[in-house]
Amino acid sequence: MHELHADVEETTEAITSMETRGAATIAAAAAEALRQQAVDGAYDDPESFKATMRAAARQLLETRPTAVSLPNTLRYILTRMEGTSVEALRESVDAAAQAFEQRLARAQGELGEIGANRLQDGDTVMTHCHSTDALSCIEAAVEQGKDISAVVKETRPRNQGHITAEELVDLGVPVTLIVDNAARRYLDDVDHVLVGADSIAADGSVINKIGTSSLAVNARERGVPVMCAAQTIKLHPETLTGHTVEIEERVETEVIDAETRAKIGDIEVRNPAFDVTPPRYVDAIVTESGQFPPESVVTLMRELFGESAASPWEE
Ligand code: RI2
């Protein structure tokens, strides 16, 4: 096996530290790292090329467990790796990765157009965390000439709501930033809850940033529709065969600093990054292939993935 490319090492580190974050952004970074591994290296023979690509994919895969865009990206590229010479293999990976990256960008634009159709002129949207898929819907609505306002939850512990607020300000959208605990109070003032997804399960459950499920339950109680913007790369094929989605637990220092924790005394600190919102609390899943009621997303999953998911990174 050839050594792993510096881009693969750097991308692994950036995804782990969340310098590169957001399911779609992670997917694009992983595709590009795999492409660099393929195009920029000398390989002795086809077997060593394939073994190195699989090893690079396994390393990238281990960074974050919940965003299914990561294995879906690696699967897309590695299942298209073909050829009997190093050159042919190299070209196949290069082409697959480029096609994938273009597809990803196109999907987000198409999804945005569909999501924007749900938003009316004058609507106010409540957001949670930072999702490029969700923002694409607001951007498309603004481009259609609609006046949209936003109530943005800060989204503890990492406050990705601040990124959302900044990007909305850049779009010219008036933003009201609130702490997470104020969400129910402001639900009376909004027309939609709009979130992204890290994974969508076969039963239509939405796995997204921690706090999404309580927001969705409160929104249902207040009669506010919940829209989830998620490219089809967020569909989790392994849930078709009964597997559950692993929820990433991150370090406790994201929640509390060491000094404060020591002062409090003997406590346990938990920091799950995501939670599961059951399909009954979600009104629509908006993908580049159209809008789906959560319960029917399984038909799209079967169409795209068949009955099971391959693991082409295994040795
Ligand atoms: P896009 C993020 O996770 C958020 O949960 C967000 O809703 C989701 O990824 C999808 O983001 P994290 O990486 O793919 O911040 O829509 O833990 O950009």
Side-chain angles (χ1 to χ4, degrees), residues 53 140 162:
M53 293 304 297
H162 294 180

Side-chain angles (χ1 to χ4, degrees), residues 18 21-24 64 129-133 160 196-198 208-209 234 274:
M18 287 181 69
R21 52 146 295 279
R64 296 196 71 194
C129 199
H130 170 259
S131 157
T132 55
D133 282 352
Q160 292 106 323
D198 295 80
N208 192 46
K209 184 59 53 183
K234 315 285 177 66
F274 304 103

Side-chain angles (χ1 to χ4, degrees), residues 192-235:
H192 308 264
V193 164
L194 172 59
V195 296
D198 295 80
S199 281
I200 307 270
D203 69 349
S205 295
V206 169
I207 295 88
N208 192 46
K209 184 59 53 183
I210 191 79
T212 303
S213 62
S214 54
L215 175 61
V217 170
N218 278 327
R220 173 52 44 92
E221 191 261 340
R222 306 310 282 172
V224 180
V226 176
M227 155 165 42
C228 170
Q231 303 178 49
T232 53
I233 195 170
K234 315 285 177 66
L235 302 176

Side-chain angles (χ1 to χ4, degrees), residues 255-266:
V255 176
I256 188 168
D257 64 78
E259 197 186 331
T260 313
R261 186 190 198 288
K263 193 162 155 281
I264 293 171
D266 186 19

Side-chain angles (χ1 to χ4, degrees), residues 18-92:
M18 287 181 69
E19 187 190 319
T20 298
R21 52 146 295 279
T25 308
I26 289 172
E32 187 52 28
L34 219 48
R35 196 179 78 78
Q36 288 299 330
Q37 179 73 59
V39 299
D40 191 21
Y43 296 91
D44 297 335
D45 52 60
E47 276 320 306
S48 107
F49 179 94
K50 286 193 264 187
T52 310
M53 293 304 297
R54 287 195 294 263
R58 284 197 299 276
Q59 179 167 308
L60 291 162
L61 195 56
E62 277 165 20
T63 52
R64 296 196 71 194
T66 306
V68 74
S69 54
L70 193 50
N72 282 347
T73 302
L74 302 170
R75 188 177 289 121
Y76 180 97
I77 296 171
L78 290 190
T79 54
R80 286 163 177 80
M81 175 169 75
E82 56 190 14
T84 50
S85 67
V86 170
E87 263 330 291
L89 285 163
R90 204 195 295 276
E91 276 168 27
S92 69

